[in-house]
Amino acid sequence: MIPKRHVRSALARNTIKRRWREAFRRRREAWATEFGGADLVIRMHTAPSPRPAFDASAILTTLTERLRARGASGRALPRGAS
């Protein structure tokens, strides 16, 4: 979910969503194996960095490592976690 207040342009919001989907698609099998096929909902609380620096794959890797550390308890990560 990308609020319009963070990214005004529909084109930019859709680009960011496509990057997230592609990063998740590349890890789909590993995600299903490790986390039992749980869905991932990403909600942006702050505006992303400029387009060239935004790397959904690196952010998804960080989130995956944090979930592993938490034991994949199914609880949401705290606000502001990235």
Side-chain angles (χ1 to χ4, degrees), residues 20-52:
W20 277 115
R21 278 190 221 104
E22 179 62 18
F24 189 74
R25 185 192 64 79
R26 290 180 182 204
R27 290 179 171 74
R28 183 180 354 194
E29 289 181 26
W31 186 268
T33 302
E34 187 166 352
F35 299 110
D39 287 336
L40 179 67
V41 176
I42 297 174
R43 180 175 178 201
M44 298 183 91
H45 292 278
T46 59
S49 58
R51 217 186 280 183

Side-chain angles (χ1 to χ4, degrees), residues 6-80:
H6 295 316
V7 181
R8 299 291 298 170
S9 166
L11 178 66
R13 284 194 309 274
N14 289 332
T15 300
I16 291 169
K17 290 176 192 178
R18 275 194 302 277
R19 288 182 183 185
W20 277 115
R21 278 190 221 104
E22 179 62 18
F24 189 74
R25 185 192 64 79
R26 290 180 182 204
R27 290 179 171 74
R28 183 180 354 194
E29 289 181 26
W31 186 268
T33 302
E34 187 166 352
F35 299 110
D39 287 336
L40 179 67
V41 176
I42 297 174
R43 180 175 178 201
M44 298 183 91
H45 292 278
T46 59
S49 58
R51 217 186 280 183
F54 179 76
D55 185 9
S57 183
I59 295 170
L60 187 58
T61 299
T62 302
L63 288 173
T64 302
E65 290 170 2
R66 291 187 69 186
L67 283 171
R68 274 189 208 120
R70 287 178 149 256
S73 62
R75 295 187 328 235
L77 292 174
R79 282 196 142 197

